[in-house]
Amino acid sequence: MHAELRDALATNGGHLLRRDLVSMGYSDRMIRLLVHQSFLTRLRHGTYVDRQVYDALSVVERHLVHCRAVLDRLGPGVALSHHSAAALHGIEMYRPAFRHVHVTHLDGKGGRREAGVVHHEAEVPSGELTRVEGVRVVSPARSLFELASLDGTESGVVAVSSALHAGLSTKEELLDLETRFNRWPGYSHARLAIRLADGRIESVGESRSLYHLWRHGVPRPELQSTITNADGSTLARVDFEWELHRHVGEFDGMRKYSAYGDGREALIREKRREDLVRATGRGMTRWTWNELAASRVRTWAHELAASLEHSRRQFGRNAVHLPLG
């Protein structure tokens, strides 16, 4: 039933405007009936989605449906920008502001808000515009600068690190943008985020950890370090390492454990791995999302700093440091 309508919705990025439905032969009365039957859901005024499909989407996927619907209504003179552009590029974000679709007007008619949409006005060079899945969008580098300027340094570190890790942007591209955006509100947040971010980071949790290490004065660690045995064989790869302190750190998110299947097997493997690392004469600290909560993160950072000093005193005297060069 309504197979043709469902196909049309899927082909159009998950949504149809009222005018599309009317052109397919659906009257306003029929559209209201489809909504009443829960086949369609009204996304916004004059915009409809397949309710069954939409309800099964992730938060990011739902936002992208909203984005396509807004662009469809506004026409070719706009491009997705800020958080919306980052979402389309596949950049991971921390608490993204998906309450609104962000668009930048290329014809100088932006600078306003309406229900669910923030309209920005800016000059966007052609080199900072691209298309993803047929959608006009600002480049990954520009979207990162926009996002960090609005959301602050911590969110910026997460997004920039994600983009660097995925090869969507480079530090050089981001640094080039600084000279043009140095009068933007929030410029200092974006500038700092670019300098703190690192493409070796593999998760949002690791990015947030790195930011809070900086914020609370903990020495910057080496990232994704390989711990070796005396014979040079690899024992483990760890998220963070403070070699001079003989200490390593691990952010334990669900992604890490899901790779091992069931939880019991994951814990056994991680405990065995931790024992091997400790046997090399290193201390280890593990933390989770709980430690990064606003109410606990300062305490976590101070306790970690104390653990670094403890490991330095306990293991540092026996460590062998090879001269560089």
Side-chain angles (χ1 to χ4, degrees):
M1 184 178 181
H2 303 301
E4 181 185 2
L5 177 54
R6 181 155 277 161
D7 289 344
L9 285 160
T11 301
N12 199 50
H15 77 281
L16 287 173
L17 301 181
R18 175 187 172 275
R19 65 172 183 250
D20 302 318
L21 293 168
V22 170
S23 69
M24 293 176 66
Y26 291 90
S27 66
D28 287 334
R29 181 178 177 277
M30 294 170 69
I31 294 171
R32 287 195 298 269
L33 181 60
L34 289 170
V35 172
H36 178 72
Q37 294 172 341
S38 296
F39 182 86
L40 293 179
T41 292
R42 194 177 79 164
L43 197 64
R44 53 188 296 116
H45 181 69
T47 306
Y48 299 88
V49 297
D50 183 323
R51 179 170 181 172
Q52 181 180 349
V53 172
Y54 183 78
D55 287 350
L57 298 178
S58 68
V59 172
V60 174
E61 290 168 336
R62 290 185 184 187
H63 181 69
L64 291 177
V65 173
H66 283 263
C67 290
R68 291 185 176 93
V70 168
L71 291 181
D72 201 1
R73 181 173 58 85
L74 293 177
V78 299
L80 281 186
S81 59
H82 298 72
H83 307 76
S84 300
L88 187 60
H89 287 302
I91 295 169
E92 288 192 292
M93 290 171 272
Y94 173 57
R95 292 181 177 177
F98 284 159
R99 295 183 303 276
H100 301 94
V101 173
H102 289 266
V103 297
T104 292
H105 286 251
L106 309 177
D107 54 8
K109 296 180 181 179
R112 68 184 191 277
R113 286 176 180 257
E114 62 174 312
V117 185
V118 179
H119 300 260
H120 302 272
E121 177 186 351
E123 292 184 9
V124 184
S126 59
E128 291 171 18
L129 288 171
T130 186
R131 286 191 179 272
V132 176
E133 299 175 2
V135 176
R136 179 180 272 185
V137 59
V138 302
S139 67
R142 184 182 178 103
S143 73
L144 291 169
F145 212 101
E146 293 170 338
L147 182 154
S149 296
L150 278 184
D151 276 6
T153 304
E154 182 175 7
S155 294
V157 170
V158 172
V160 174
S161 295
S162 171
L164 294 176
H165 183 73
L168 295 170
S169 186
T170 65
K171 279 283 183 83
E172 290 71 25
E173 287 177 310
L174 292 165
L175 292 172
D176 285 344
L177 291 180
E178 287 188 8
T179 57
R180 291 202 297 109
F181 295 161
N182 60 5
R183 294 185 182 276
W184 276 24
Y187 162 81
S188 60
H189 295 301
R191 184 175 183 274
L192 180 57
I194 292 166
R195 281 154 175 74
L196 292 177
D198 196 297
R200 291 172 293 177
I201 290 176
E202 298 178 343
S203 71
V204 173
E206 291 175 29
S207 290
R208 292 193 60 219
S209 299
L210 186 65
Y211 165 76
H212 283 290
L213 292 174
W214 165 81
R215 183 182 179 192
H216 296 288
V218 180
R220 186 179 177 99
E222 185 61 30
L223 305 175
Q224 308 302 335
S225 284
T226 299
I227 306 300
T228 59
N229 215 334
D231 61 3
S233 60
T234 299
L235 288 177
R237 189 167 68 96
V238 295
D239 297 334
F240 305 96
E241 181 184 20
W242 293 267
E243 179 57 33
L244 293 178
H245 295 81
R246 302 294 292 175
H247 200 87
V248 300
E250 289 276 271
F251 172 77
D252 289 340
M254 291 303 297
R255 182 183 303 179
K256 179 178 296 183
Y257 289 100
S258 64
Y260 295 134
D262 67 89
R264 182 174 181 276
E265 181 184 357
L267 289 173
I268 292 173
R269 284 174 177 264
E270 282 299 299
K271 181 62 171 65
R272 187 177 300 144
R273 180 168 165 271
E274 179 176 334
D275 290 342
L276 289 172
V277 172
R278 290 184 182 276
T280 65
R282 288 175 170 85
M284 176 179 278
T285 298
R286 293 183 176 277
W287 60 90
T288 66
W289 288 108
N290 289 336
E291 282 69 44
L292 299 182
S295 60
R296 301 184 62 180
V297 68
R298 182 185 295 272
T299 299
W300 161 77
H302 291 173
E303 289 177 348
L304 176 56
S307 296
L308 293 181
E309 184 59 24
H310 176 77
S311 292
R312 187 189 66 79
R313 292 196 305 267
Q314 182 177 3
F315 303 116
R317 70 187 67 178
N318 297 321
V320 176
H321 299 286
L322 299 177
L324 298 177

